[in-house]
Amino acid sequence: MGNHVVRSAGTTKKATGPKSGSSVAQTKPPISRSSSGADIQNTSHTQFLPIDRLAKILTEISQKEEAVNGITQFVFQKYLFPHHPELADRLFSHLHASSKVTTTYLGQSVFKHQAEKFLAIMNDQTVLENYVKMFSENKEESEITPDGLRKLLMVSYRLAMSGNRGVSCTQILNTVSAVVNACFHGKDTLSVSFVSNWLWQNCQRIVHGMHKYVIHILTTAYRSGKSLMSSEQSGPHLVPSTPVLDQPDNATFSETLLSISHVWLLAATLPYCYTKTEEDPHKDGIQALITKMSGTVCLRHWTPLYNSDQHGAAANRFLHHVLGYKGPTLIFIRGVNDTEDRNHYPTYCICSAAEWRESHLYWGNEDSMVIELLPNYRVVQKGSKLLYLNTSIRGYPQGLRAGADPRSPCVAIDQSFHEVNFAGVPYRISSLEVWGCGDSKSRERQLEIKKWQVKEAEKQRVVKLSTSEWLDHPDRYLLELAGRPSYNNSSS
């Protein structure tokens, strides 16, 4: 009755009853593999047609150019990643090490199996760990050096900037060194698991753009025929993967603190409310799903709101330019003293996902963060009730603060906005910037409020008085005491 299992001699056979009523024992055929992995005999065949077609084209090219019955590293790099040879070599070496073949090339079936296995990974943390393994220096892919992490970050940065033609950053080396120094703390090697966990805690989306690019190449390169990606015309068009910086009127304004390399790094760290626009509520479920899977999302425009060098370093100037902006904001603070190198001045970023307001209590939602940018890049604290701003309420600390412990905040700016404490160490404020990360409507509403406030101030400044009101006005008596008894000659 029904299915039954027969066990004998250490083997397991499953007998099924077909429609004819006969019992047929089914066994899985063994897989035989040669030293090169070029011939894997198995009854199952590849169902992922893009990888199957790509493997056939690469095999034909390797056979023609190098007389090899498989896929070589040179062909893999030349025809798939001609503009990113470092990434090509690392990816091919990773696939080769995972296959455990003894030859220098990969067989067609082995390449298909390893590529499909690589693309089938859906867990973001596992994807991050795989890319850290790629840039490890030993064959076991168990340890990584500071130079390996630096190369990983540079490849990720170049891919992110390839969609921003003509954009360069002079601070990229300092930015990358800040990440490497914070992770290694002077050690020569670290385990792959430790480095991947550290990146996951401090910049978890650092390889998202790189992985998306690799997936795009492996799944669409076959469409270009046997030329694949080797020709300039067939290269993929990369959209910008970092928020767009709106340039202010003063060209030197955006060069004070916020560099494009820091924007790239923050985009891999901050919650999506700082970097991506909200989904269109008018889109139905299918359209929203297609947009999400295709990756065609609109990036935020970061707008400059306040700069201490241009607008003045004072609490009232900060409040005037920041309050009323209904959107996420980033505050960049650089401390300075006479003993440290200018390129290593401590720089912190206070991230607020809600509108700034004055209060004697700490506030903020779960997307609030405090990040150290220099000299070491790390997420200091994140969570709710991290932010504090008070310039008018007496009996409570004055100034701007950020931190989970009110008695010992991570960042504390005094009421004059001239000094700052980073983790209890005092510094003079060299520069202070505020960038708005909301949509265009947030900035428009803030400007409208400012215009209304200016109009109201003008109305209060010009007061029209009649003759009878002036005769009883207190200012008339003050003018008379000052020697101007005939100040108003309208009666004559």
Side-chain angles (χ1 to χ4, degrees):
M1 297 294 292
N3 300 339
H4 61 279
V5 179
V6 181
R7 296 181 177 87
S8 63
T11 61
T12 302
K13 297 182 180 180
K14 186 176 181 180
T16 59
K19 293 183 179 180
S20 61
S22 61
S23 177
V24 180
Q26 297 180 355
T27 59
K28 186 175 181 180
I31 299 177
S32 63
R33 184 192 303 268
S34 66
S35 60
S36 66
D39 51 343
I40 294 181
Q41 298 175 4
N42 196 343
T43 55
S44 64
H45 61 278
T46 299
Q47 298 295 331
F48 200 11
L49 293 181
I51 299 298
D52 185 35
R53 296 179 181 178
L54 176 63
K56 290 179 180 179
I57 296 175
L58 290 174
T59 303
E60 292 176 1
I61 296 175
S62 298
Q63 182 69 38
K64 180 180 179 182
E65 295 190 2
E66 300 193 60
V68 173
N69 185 23
I71 300 171
T72 63
Q73 183 173 350
F74 173 77
V75 171
F76 183 82
Q77 181 264 321
K78 177 181 177 181
Y79 286 89
L80 290 184
F81 302 93
H83 306 296
H84 304 281
E86 178 76 15
L87 175 60
D89 294 341
R90 298 283 181 170
L91 178 57
F92 185 88
S93 299
H94 177 73
L95 299 177
H96 186 274
S98 300
S99 65
K100 297 181 180 180
V101 297
T102 58
T103 57
T104 57
Y105 58 90
L106 291 175
Q108 180 177 333
S109 299
V110 173
F111 175 81
K112 290 190 295 183
H113 176 71
Q114 295 299 327
E116 291 173 2
K117 181 180 176 181
F118 182 80
L119 297 178
I121 301 174
M122 295 299 177
N123 184 275
D124 291 340
Q125 194 167 2
T126 306
V127 170
L128 176 60
E129 185 174 359
N130 278 339
Y131 279 92
V132 176
K133 287 181 179 179
M134 285 184 200
F135 288 82
S136 61
E137 301 300 331
N138 58 351
K139 295 183 179 179
E140 292 79 12
E141 297 185 343
S142 59
E143 292 183 346
I144 185 172
T145 62
D147 187 58
L149 178 58
R150 185 175 285 104
K151 291 179 180 178
L152 169 63
L153 297 175
M154 289 302 299
V155 171
S156 176
Y157 172 77
R158 293 191 190 101
L159 282 170
M161 292 299 103
S162 59
N164 299 318
R165 303 297 181 184
V167 177
S168 61
C169 179
T170 59
Q171 298 296 321
I172 179 59
L173 296 180
N174 292 332
T175 302
V176 170
S177 296
V179 179
V180 176
N181 295 336
C183 180
F184 279 83
H185 283 291
K187 296 182 179 180
D188 295 331
T189 59
L190 287 174
S191 64
V192 167
S193 60
F194 178 88
V195 174
S196 60
N197 287 332
W198 188 92
L199 292 174
W200 180 258
Q201 294 296 327
N202 294 275
C203 45
Q204 58 181 343
R205 296 191 301 275
I206 196 66
V207 300
H208 273 201
M210 188 189 309
H211 189 56
K212 185 183 294 185
Y213 178 77
V214 171
I215 292 176
H216 177 78
I217 293 296
L218 294 180
T219 56
T220 63
Y222 75 95
R223 298 175 183 174
S224 301
K226 294 186 177 181
S227 63
L228 296 178
M229 298 287 109
S230 60
S231 62
E232 184 70 24
Q233 292 78 11
S234 61
H237 175 69
L238 297 178
V239 297
S241 58
T242 57
V244 181
L245 298 181
D246 290 339
Q247 295 297 327
D249 297 334
N250 187 0
T252 60
F253 180 20
S254 61
E255 299 177 0
T256 305
L257 281 182
L258 186 55
S259 61
I260 192 64
S261 58
H262 279 147
V263 176
W264 157 72
L265 200 53
L266 288 171
T269 305
L270 295 171
Y272 282 120
C273 64
Y274 294 90
T275 59
K276 302 290 181 65
T277 58
E278 295 85 355
E279 297 290 341
D280 188 355
H282 300 290
K283 285 186 177 181
D284 56 21
I286 297 178
Q287 290 180 339
L289 180 62
I290 293 175
T291 302
K292 182 177 180 180
M293 294 184 65
S294 62
T296 55
V297 294
C298 297
L299 296 169
R300 291 278 189 180
H301 279 246
W302 288 2
T303 304
L305 302 180
Y306 170 74
N307 181 282
S308 59
D309 294 337
Q310 184 184 34
H311 300 130
N316 60 343
R317 305 308 301 158
F318 175 87
L319 298 177
H320 173 74
H321 290 279
V322 176
L323 294 188
Y325 184 83
K326 300 182 182 298
T329 52
L330 302 176
I331 301 178
F332 297 91
I333 312 161
R334 174 184 288 167
V336 59
N337 57 26
D338 300 330
T339 60
E340 296 183 359
D341 182 17
R342 179 176 178 82
N343 293 327
H344 296 85
Y345 285 157
T347 305
Y348 277 67
C349 176
I350 300 177
C351 315
S352 172
E355 177 186 0
W356 279 91
R357 65 178 184 270
E358 287 198 79
S359 174
H360 67 284
L361 302 175
Y362 277 76
W363 52 273
N365 57 22
E366 294 294 335
D367 292 330
S368 303
M369 302 179 70
V370 179
I371 301 174
E372 181 184 356
L373 300 180
L374 292 173
N376 298 315
Y377 184 87
R378 63 190 180 99
V379 175
V380 181
Q381 288 182 353
K382 59 182 178 180
S384 59
K385 296 184 179 181
L386 291 181
L387 310 177
Y388 177 91
L389 177 63
N390 177 30
T391 61
S392 58
I393 304 175
R394 297 182 178 180
Y396 293 91
Q398 301 285 310
L400 189 151
R401 298 187 173 191
D405 187 0
R407 295 170 297 181
S408 179
C410 305
V411 181
I413 301 177
D414 68 341
Q415 58 185 350
S416 64
F417 274 61
H418 289 155
E419 295 182 358
V420 60
N421 279 10
F422 293 140
V425 181
Y427 294 90
R428 300 191 313 274
I429 294 180
S430 173
S431 300
L432 192 150
E433 285 186 13
V434 182
W435 289 75
C437 307
D439 52 17
S440 58
K441 294 182 179 179
S442 300
R443 182 59 172 168
E444 292 174 358
R445 285 194 293 265
Q446 185 196 29
L447 294 177
E448 290 177 358
I449 293 175
K450 287 185 178 181
K451 291 180 181 179
W452 177 83
Q453 291 175 345
V454 171
K455 290 181 180 180
E456 289 297 317
E458 292 294 336
K459 290 181 180 179
Q460 296 296 330
R461 183 180 301 175
V462 180
V463 180
K464 296 182 179 180
L465 298 176
S466 62
T467 304
S468 58
E469 291 175 339
W470 174 248
L471 293 176
D472 297 329
H473 201 275
D475 289 347
R476 174 175 175 270
Y477 297 102
L478 293 176
L479 291 172
E480 289 179 355
L481 292 174
R484 295 289 301 273
S486 302
Y487 179 76
N488 190 350
N489 297 325
S490 59
S491 58
S492 60

